[in-house]
Amino acid sequence: MTRLMRLQAWRRIGAILTAALGLACVCGLPALARAPTAPERPRIEMSVRASQAADMFSELSIDSPALAARIARAERLPAERADCYTDMEVAIRDAQGRNKRYRLERKGNLWDEAAQQMLRLSPDASQRLLAYAETLRWRHYGELMDWNEARNVVTRKSLFTIVDLESGLSFRVQRRAGSDHADVQPVSREDSKVMKQIYGGKWSWQRRAIVVSKDGARIAASMNGMPHGGDGIPDNGFNGHFCVHFLGSSSHRSNTPDPAHQLMVHKASGSLRSYFNSASPQVLAASFVEALNQKDGEMLRLIWSDASADRIEAMDRLIGRLESIYVKRTRTAEHDDVQDDKLSAAVALPLLVRLQDRGTLHGELRFEFARSSPHLPWRIVEVASDHSSLIP
């Protein structure tokens, strides 16, 4: 049995389990508003988004009054911070139709951010919530698939669908060429129109997290939005092709995977946290800059999980002033990703920055990393700049 056949089988099994558990799963854009009706009994609504600002979401309705009652009786403990899934939200609707929203903590408890309280659930209730969350995330995101395997799914001249995980918009493309990644083109003028809409009406080199859908497979990937190079589909409103990257794929100019594309591939699979936990200091630093360029404060907090309140405030101020920020050159080499016995590391990245209030400037970000054991993930200790307009 091929990997694709196994994937299709597992998805059929997932659909059967969802039905057997009495769950309803909705994927897509927010539904039209409906007249409020009082539910007959408490319900639990679980939702997942690639980012908190994403329009696309998947939702799971859990019809379990017993579980809702356990949550209502849970012990509440003070908690200023919690290690939560950044993409998950749990809403409890009571018998009067009132909603209370929580974040799902990674051990299966619920965190009330507004009240700064943790709802400590029983082990059984926690495990049930985590199982539901895993089912929902599996349905929402794409599968991590190495380029050497993905290229046999999205073969040359084949047609497939791209779904943007932020907007939820989708369009059809054809792979025309590419050996290190897929060079693709929109199939029609309408497809090109949707793609341009995803990029706010303006072509861009910006990477975006996408799911590639073909023959039952849903693969995590990344795309840019700039027409370039050779053309092959006439009258499709797209002068050239654009690039789609998968796990481990590289650009035409390098044998090393592009950090920005790999960041979006892992976002598209819902695995950013594990990606950062296994990343080298060089990759973490490059990801930090790309998160700034994406103006994604949520991702920055995931990369720099130990950032102090004043550092978070400084990053938010910088994001508010940024037009773009890029690494001018990279020093990525094979030894950068080798996990040796070092417990500290430093990375300096020269940058080209465009600020709304200062124009273009050249600066540098200096990162300090540490870990308490060679077997533990690298953590950012400090980020500093040689220019006060960046991070003071």
Side-chain angles (χ1 to χ4, degrees):
M1 182 180 291
T2 66
R3 183 187 180 105
L4 178 56
M5 293 172 64
R6 291 196 303 270
L7 178 63
Q8 292 170 330
W10 274 113
R11 292 195 177 280
R12 287 194 294 270
I13 292 171
I16 294 170
L17 287 175
T18 299
L21 289 170
L23 308 176
C25 184
V26 179
C27 302
L29 299 176
L32 295 175
R34 295 187 295 268
T37 57
E40 297 180 359
R41 52 186 182 177
R43 294 185 67 86
I44 303 169
E45 305 286 344
M46 185 177 285
S47 61
V48 59
R49 302 173 190 264
S51 70
Q52 293 181 15
D55 290 323
M56 180 179 173
F57 69 93
S58 295
E59 189 173 69
L60 200 62
S61 181
I62 305 169
D63 186 8
S64 176
L67 181 57
R70 289 187 184 186
I71 294 173
R73 295 193 302 266
E75 181 183 8
R76 288 178 171 266
L77 303 171
E80 294 183 2
R81 300 180 67 176
D83 184 15
C84 297
Y85 289 94
T86 59
D87 57 352
M88 299 292 304
E89 185 177 78
V90 179
I92 312 296
R93 177 176 295 182
D94 63 21
Q96 286 72 45
R98 296 173 301 193
N99 276 340
K100 181 65 177 177
R101 299 187 180 277
Y102 302 94
R103 309 300 298 183
L104 180 62
E105 190 253 353
R106 290 186 178 272
K107 293 182 179 179
N109 298 306
L110 295 175
W111 185 49
D112 185 342
E113 186 173 11
Q116 298 284 281
Q117 292 179 332
M118 183 74 75
L119 276 66
R120 188 165 64 185
L121 305 179
S122 67
D124 177 64
S126 294
Q127 288 304 310
R128 287 187 65 185
L129 283 181
L130 290 174
Y132 291 141
E134 186 63 26
T135 298
L136 183 58
R137 297 180 86 249
W138 175 76
R139 293 174 68 104
H140 185 76
Y141 294 111
E143 178 193 9
L144 274 180
M145 185 182 293
D146 189 85
W147 167 237
N148 289 327
E149 186 172 0
R151 67 195 305 169
N152 295 321
V153 178
V154 290
T155 53
R156 294 195 184 198
K157 302 301 175 68
S158 67
L159 301 174
F160 54 92
T161 299
I162 284 176
V163 181
D164 178 61
L165 274 179
E166 289 293 317
S167 66
L169 297 174
S170 63
F171 60 102
R172 296 176 305 144
V173 300
Q174 183 183 48
R175 180 186 169 196
R176 302 291 300 182
S179 57
D180 300 315
H181 58 264
D183 291 335
V184 306
Q185 297 176 35
V187 173
S188 67
R189 283 187 173 273
E190 183 60 31
D191 293 309
S192 296
K193 181 180 177 181
V194 173
M195 181 180 177
K196 199 168 189 177
Q197 184 181 349
I198 289 172
Y199 278 95
K202 184 174 164 181
W203 299 125
S204 169
W205 287 106
Q206 185 184 55
R207 280 68 163 158
R208 293 185 72 95
I210 59 173
V211 171
V212 165
S213 178
K214 183 177 184 293
D215 298 334
R218 299 181 69 255
I219 311 171
S222 170
M223 72 175 182
N224 61 42
M226 180 62 70
H228 64 280
D231 201 349
I233 301 179
D235 199 33
N236 68 344
F238 196 88
N239 186 23
H241 65 266
F242 67 98
C243 302
V244 173
H245 282 245
F246 298 84
L247 180 67
S249 62
S250 60
S251 64
H252 295 302
R253 300 178 181 178
S254 171
N255 293 325
T256 303
D258 176 77
H261 274 306
Q262 294 303 300
L263 184 65
M264 291 297 109
V265 169
H266 283 85
K267 180 177 180 178
S269 70
S271 61
L272 275 177
R273 183 186 176 96
S274 59
Y275 176 58
F276 294 146
N277 282 343
S278 62
S280 68
Q282 187 76 20
V283 169
L284 284 172
S287 297
F288 187 97
V289 174
E290 181 60 23
L292 282 173
N293 190 51
Q294 295 276 345
K295 299 185 178 181
D296 193 334
E298 185 180 336
M299 187 182 293
L300 281 172
R301 288 163 176 76
L302 193 58
I303 299 172
W304 194 2
S305 57
D306 300 325
S308 61
D310 63 322
R311 280 300 189 229
I312 291 174
E313 184 179 346
M315 289 188 295
D316 288 341
R317 286 198 304 268
L318 177 57
I319 287 174
R321 300 165 56 223
L322 264 179
E323 289 187 359
S324 63
I325 179 169
Y326 298 101
V327 179
K328 290 196 293 186
R329 57 178 171 79
T330 59
R331 193 178 47 81
T332 303
E334 293 299 324
H335 66 269
D336 286 323
D337 292 327
V338 173
Q339 299 296 308
D340 53 24
D341 58 354
K342 291 184 179 179
L343 300 181
S344 62
V347 174
L349 294 180
L351 306 172
L352 177 64
V353 186
R354 291 185 176 89
L355 297 173
Q356 297 172 1
D357 55 347
R358 293 292 303 273
T360 301
L361 60 87
H362 300 271
E364 182 179 80
L365 283 184
R366 297 184 296 271
F367 298 82
E368 296 179 15
F369 296 89
R371 56 184 177 178
S372 55
S373 165
H375 305 293
L376 293 177
W378 287 103
R379 298 296 184 212
I380 296 177
V381 177
E382 184 58 279
V383 181
S385 173
D386 62 344
H387 203 295
S388 59
S389 291
L390 296 178
I391 298 179

